[in-house]
Amino acid sequence: MDKTIARQCTLCEAHCGILVTVRDSEVTRIEGNPDDVLSKGYICPKATAMGGLHHDPDRLRTPVRRVGDAFEPISWDAAFREIGQRLRAIRSAHGPSAIGMYLGNPAAHSSSVMYGALLRAALLTRNFFTASSIDQFPQEFAAWRMFGSNVLMPVTDIDRTDRLVVLGANPAVSNGSITTMPGAKLRIREVGKRGGTVVVIDPRRTETARLADEHVAVRPGGDVFLLLAMLHVLVSEALCDERAVRAQCAGWDEITALVATTTPDRMAPLAGVDAGTIRRLAREHAAAPSAVIYARIGVCQQVTGTLTHWLVNTINATTGNLDRAGGQMFATPVVDAARYAKYLPMGHGAWTDRSGTHKSFRTELPVAALAADINAPGPGQIKAMITYAGNPVLSTPQAGTLDAALASLEFYVAVDMYVTETTRHADIILPPISALEREELNLLFPIFSVRNNARYDARVFEPPADGLEDWQILARLVTEVVPLPARTLTGRALNAVFAQLSPLRLTAAAIAAGPYGVLRRGRKGLTLGKIRDTAGGVDLGPLRPRLPELIGTDDRKVQLAPTDFLAAVRTVLDDAATPTEPGYDLQLIGRRHLRSNNSWLHNIPAMVKGRDRCTVLMHPDDAAARGLAEGDPASVESAVGAIVVPVEIRDDIRVGVVAVPHGWGHREPGVGWTVAAALPGRNVNLLHDPARTDPLSGTSAVNNTWVRVRPSAGEDPASGRKPEVTATPR
Ligand SMILES: Nc1nc2c(c(=O)[nH]1)N[C@H]1C(S)=C(S)[C@@H](COP(=O)(O)OP(=O)(O)OC[C@H]3O[C@@H](n4cnc5c(=O)[nH]c(N)nc54)[C@H](O)[C@@H]3O)O[C@H]1N2
Ligand SMILES: Nc1nc2c(c(=O)[nH]1)N[C@H]1C(S)=C(S)[C@@H](COP(=O)(O)OP(=O)(O)OC[C@H]3O[C@@H](n4cnc5c(=O)[nH]c(N)nc54)[C@H](O)[C@@H]3O)O[C@H]1N2
Ligand code: SF4
Ligand SMILES: [Mo]
């Protein structure tokens, strides 16, 4: 008999509501849930991968232990015992920082991440890394300095704005991130339907740009100059309400002084956008009843990532669009984390990586330093690693050195359900149960949602009797690493305590105590149970102005002119010259596809059907100048690496720019993704120099790489293997 369960797709931030139909333990259908209060029935083609992942024969269902080059099943108890002994021995020999930890993106998609944070704390290591330093760190850094808390990254009020300016994001494909907006395409079309305007500023005429009224093909990395010039126009033409700005913000005088000389004429060649367009963009932003610049990873992954997000927030604020409908706003989620985050010790530069180059931020080091921190001998060297829900070998730039570094570790334990390019180096892999076997309520993404909401993830399948959730695995790891006297007894006691503190129980208590909860609102208030009993969650209304109650700065004003940002932007301006790099003539950026999700959906046949997507996208003029035709194998070469991938020619990319997607290159020996391992595609992060980072936040500047492209004889310079130009999915 068929059974249909409502929950969410947890693959990306959108967390679209889905209806999963099951017959005889098989997922037979996944559809959008029309009753979902946020996604209203929308899903993307990836949603069906939720079923594919659950049934994937390559997914690990028991812990495995390395024996020679192979993995063999091992019991949970034996696994934890061995992990505890090895990690404790390494820590007592070399100190706490000898154990490194990397936390990847899907960790944030499950409430188990609470225990990830606990494990990080228990390790007391300086060597903690996450995918945030190849993702949203610049946004967090800018929020921390401007609003007094890294959690106060403002949300784009897309559903009410009169003017949406998208800068370095492609929500038509990604469905939004740090502004969670399932069905982004529909929301973008709605802006036009209610008489508003959509502008996309992106070196490529993306899927989002095709929905827009205007596309501005900025030069990669040119945004900081474009925004400075827009600010110049706003100030010099007196387009801002100065009194209103001074009431909300500090630093107006410093900003006006800064932009006095950043005229559109001077900035235009640096931005790659003509001065007339820049003037018009500024005037139209100021004139619209409400307007918002939404910026995301295209501009995070830049050496100027933090500065760009600072200027985005500054333009939104000075045009009166901060903390008001149709501008940038802050949500009121059921657990109001943003309200309390300002009390957390944030700190920048409490310690550095071992080379002294990268400062810690948010108690972690930039992932660009990971391989070097494993490789360089001496005090603080990483001897053991724990990775949790991450694939840094494919997802981070390490110039190809991370692979060998992981292989050289004394001990490595991975919490993951696949043998990936990264986890293939583990001594022990601990797989959690599948997402469809989980029951939880995500507390993170409602902080960044376009409407206040609370939605429940119901179990589709009962977990197997011996299955563990991520949080249970992480709790056991905590027990193994904390220094305990009389280990067996106290360990058992600690395990018993953790068992009572499941994320779901903690969530229930936090909701009850939160802004909508029963403790504050009496019997009419929300409980976890009430949310669970809805068909598609609880809608808690549109975002409302609340910056004054949230802001964490000393004078309770938005800081428009943090001194370190002013100094950094002056350096950028002093050094500014029309960019070139001897020997290289093209700028490499990334791109996302609708059926990929970073590195880990390529083992699901329906997600990789059709032609090879890991191509180098280039403009017809650039291809012709290099004698390249559609499908030709081309060598893409940077100062640190080279890969061979087929050419894809499209006139929707700016001349002088090429784009290669990330998350490919699954052919390494021992990778357990049998479908993915047969696919062509190369790891684009081999081309990105780990030394190229945003100096403020340490974020890897993977949209800032100079390359050259030339016809390839067919030999892959990186591996010596013949590249394949056609996909051969199973
Ligand atoms: N289908 C799909 N959806 C996803 C993901 C996925 O892998 N696949 N990943 C999820 C994750 S983890 C995240 S963080 C989000 C990311 O969501 P988005 O930020 O929307 O990510 P991208 O689609 O990579 O969009 C970045 C855009 O920046 C542009 N760009 C590159 N360099 C520059 C530049 O210098 N200036 C400007 N102005 N633009 C530039 C690129 O051309 C690209 O269009 O997506 C999430 N959703
Ligand atoms: N060049 C370039 N590089 C990029 C980007 C780019 O635009 N360009 N984008 C960056 C971005 S935005 C991000 S977020 C990162 C992502 O970087 P990572 O998080 O390092 O990599 P993912 O590819 O997301 O790999 C996720 C891993 O988690 C495992 N996993 C999935 N679900 C679960 C779960 O529930 N529990 C556990 N324990 N494991 C699970 C998967 O099997 C997979 O091995 O990539 C970044 N890398
Ligand atoms: S956009 Fe697609 S992958 Fe992301 S949550 Fe929605 S259905 Fe899942
Ligand atoms: Mo991401």
Side-chain angles (χ1 to χ4, degrees):
M1 223 191 58
D2 285 359
K3 176 174 84 158
T4 298
I5 289 119
R7 56 166 291 131
Q8 290 140 60
C9 168
T10 51
L11 293 174
C12 82
E13 248 175 83
H15 274 223
C16 302
I18 52 173
L19 296 172
V20 186
T21 303
V22 176
R23 180 183 298 166
D24 303 333
S25 315
E26 282 280 325
V27 175
T28 54
R29 201 167 56 228
I30 293 187
E31 300 165 292
N33 178 2
D35 295 327
D36 186 280
V37 294
L38 195 64
S39 59
K40 305 210 159 107
Y42 171 85
I43 48 169
C44 86
K46 284 196 296 301
T48 58
M50 291 292 283
L53 289 164
H54 180 79
H55 295 300
D56 188 352
D58 289 335
R59 179 166 65 84
L60 296 176
R61 279 139 174 107
T62 61
V64 292
R65 178 175 185 272
R66 163 176 307 284
V67 181
D69 282 340
F71 284 106
E72 288 181 356
I74 173 178
S75 76
W76 285 108
D77 280 338
F80 286 121
R81 207 177 315 122
E82 178 169 343
I83 292 166
Q85 282 161 1
R86 299 291 300 273
L87 290 182
R88 290 194 300 273
I90 288 169
R91 193 184 45 202
S92 50
H94 307 285
S97 293
I99 304 175
M101 178 171 171
Y102 174 83
L103 184 148
N105 167 273
H109 294 248
S110 141
S111 48
S112 289
V113 74
M114 296 177 196
Y115 273 88
L118 189 67
L119 177 60
R120 187 267 166 274
L123 287 172
L124 291 171
T125 179
R126 295 181 161 210
N127 288 313
F128 178 60
F129 308 84
T130 75
S132 299
S133 55
I134 185 164
D135 188 340
Q136 84 284 2
F137 252 19
Q139 258 168 292
E140 288 194 39
F141 203 99
W144 172 56
R145 307 292 276 118
M146 297 181 78
F147 308 122
S149 163
N150 65 313
V151 179
L152 289 178
M153 288 178 280
V155 179
T156 299
D157 191 16
I158 186 172
D159 292 346
R160 289 184 289 182
T161 195
D162 297 294
R163 183 178 172 85
L164 173 69
V165 179
V166 179
L167 186 84
N170 189 9
V173 166
S174 66
N175 277 296
S177 171
I178 315 197
T179 292
T180 302
M181 45 169 138
K185 269 183 154 175
L186 305 173
R187 294 177 196 272
I188 292 166
R189 286 204 189 97
E190 286 296 324
V191 179
K193 281 192 195 155
R194 55 177 187 264
T197 310
V198 179
V199 179
V200 172
I201 303 176
D202 195 301
R204 183 165 79 83
R205 193 170 75 246
T206 58
E207 295 75 359
T208 307
R210 280 182 223 137
L211 303 174
D213 300 285
E214 183 178 1
H215 170 230
V216 178
V218 67
R219 183 185 67 72
D223 309 84
V224 70
F225 305 107
L226 172 76
L227 297 171
L228 285 167
M230 281 176 71
L231 268 167
H232 172 90
V233 177
L234 291 172
V235 170
S236 65
E237 298 185 7
L239 301 177
C240 303
D241 178 347
E242 192 184 320
R243 269 187 47 186
V245 176
R246 286 188 191 278
Q248 189 184 44
C249 313
W252 171 253
D253 295 328
E254 291 88 334
I255 287 291
T256 54
L258 170 72
V259 301
T261 56
T262 61
T263 61
D265 289 320
R266 205 181 133 215
M267 297 294 108
L270 302 168
V273 178
D274 68 88
T277 302
I278 299 178
R279 275 189 207 99
R280 193 170 42 74
L281 287 172
R283 290 172 189 154
E284 289 175 359
H285 205 82
S290 67
V292 62
I293 306 180
Y294 166 63
R296 196 56 186 97
I297 64 156
V299 289
C300 282
Q301 298 163 336
Q302 295 286 352
V303 285
T304 50
T306 300
L307 296 178
T308 304
H309 276 282
W310 160 53
L311 295 170
V312 165
N313 293 344
T314 299
I315 292 183
N316 285 329
T318 53
T319 53
N321 287 298
L322 176 62
D323 203 33
R324 80 143 186 219
Q328 280 186 321
M329 302 195 81
F330 300 93
T332 316
V334 284
V335 175
D336 204 0
R339 207 187 168 99
Y340 306 104
K342 54 181 174 251
Y343 302 113
L344 291 175
M346 279 307 301
H348 179 230
W351 62 88
T352 69
D353 72 324
R354 297 180 52 232
S355 73
T357 317
H358 297 290
K359 291 179 173 168
S360 65
F361 173 55
R362 209 186 68 175
T363 79
E364 64 182 83
L365 287 170
V367 69
L370 175 56
D373 275 358
I374 298 174
N375 284 335
Q381 184 181 11
I382 299 175
K383 303 278 188 185
M385 275 299 294
I386 300 173
T387 63
Y388 161 36
N391 192 5
V393 167
L394 288 195
S395 60
T396 71
Q398 311 275 350
T401 57
L402 183 58
D403 205 44
L406 290 172
S408 76
L409 288 165
E410 280 182 27
F411 189 69
Y412 166 22
V413 49
V415 185
D416 204 300
M417 67 283 189
Y418 284 110
V419 183
T420 70
E421 296 71 20
T422 299
T423 64
R424 73 191 172 110
H425 297 296
D427 293 284
I428 292 181
I429 306 178
L430 305 171
I433 57 173
S434 105
L436 294 183
E437 292 162 345
R438 293 197 307 236
E439 171 185 32
E440 59 191 351
L441 188 145
N442 188 296
L443 292 178
L444 189 62
F445 298 129
I447 304 175
F448 304 112
S449 286
V450 291
R451 260 186 98 83
N452 295 315
N453 71 90
R455 300 176 297 154
Y456 192 80
D457 270 317
R459 274 200 174 112
V460 173
F461 298 107
E462 279 307 308
D466 59 347
L468 294 182
E469 289 193 45
D470 276 311
W471 73 268
Q472 293 169 307
I473 297 170
L474 297 161
R476 286 286 296 268
L477 292 177
V478 171
T479 321
E480 291 298 338
V481 299
V482 286
L484 292 175
R487 170 151 293 280
T488 327
L489 202 67
T490 47
R492 239 184 259 141
L494 198 57
N495 284 336
V497 173
F498 285 151
Q500 298 307 311
L501 295 177
S502 72
L504 201 60
R505 280 210 180 146
L506 295 170
T507 302
I511 291 172
Y516 308 91
V518 277
L519 295 183
R520 294 226 197 134
R521 302 219 171 160
R523 289 225 322 270
K524 286 207 174 120
L526 269 188
T527 60
L528 182 77
K530 284 187 192 170
I531 302 168
R532 186 176 47 209
D533 292 343
T534 59
V538 182
D539 178 45
L540 297 165
L543 308 183
R544 55 180 175 79
R546 63 186 308 234
L547 185 60
E549 64 173 316
L550 293 176
I551 196 157
T553 53
D554 292 341
D555 59 0
R556 307 189 64 74
K557 287 193 165 183
V558 175
Q559 303 302 304
L560 294 182
T563 45
D564 48 348
F565 291 7
L566 286 177
V569 81
R570 286 209 179 92
T571 310
V572 169
L573 283 168
D574 289 346
D575 296 349
T578 311
T580 50
E581 185 92 350
Y584 300 92
D585 52 1
L586 295 164
Q587 283 183 287
L588 172 64
I589 61 170
R591 70 185 201 274
R592 283 174 153 74
H593 288 111
L594 205 46
R595 284 180 297 134
S596 286
N597 195 30
N598 298 319
S599 75
W600 66 284
L601 290 190
H602 298 149
N603 207 48
I604 310 302
M607 296 297 119
V608 289
K609 267 200 308 240
R611 52 187 202 83
D612 186 0
R613 304 202 292 269
C614 185
T615 61
V616 54
L617 188 75
M618 61 198 305
H619 190 275
D621 295 354
D622 284 329
R626 290 160 184 79
L628 286 163
E630 180 80 10
D632 283 356
S635 173
V636 187
E637 301 161 8
S638 75
V640 300
I643 57 172
V644 173
V645 286
V647 174
E648 189 176 337
I649 301 173
R650 299 273 284 272
D651 66 3
D652 62 10
I653 190 156
R654 190 183 153 103
V655 173
V657 181
V658 294
V660 180
H662 71 284
W664 294 91
H666 302 291
R667 309 192 127 205
E668 299 307 324
V671 167
W673 276 326
T674 52
V675 176
L679 297 171
R682 290 287 180 264
N683 178 4
V684 73
N685 278 318
L686 294 173
L687 303 180
H688 299 303
D689 184 351
R692 222 171 154 81
T693 55
D694 166 18
L696 286 156
S697 70
T699 306
S700 296
V702 296
N703 281 317
N704 248 169
T705 298
W706 282 95
V707 294
R708 58 176 173 246
V709 176
R710 51 182 166 185
S712 160
E715 282 296 317
D716 188 328
S719 63
R721 281 186 300 243
K722 291 243 188 274
E724 268 145 84
V725 283
T726 48
T728 47
R730 283 211 316 230

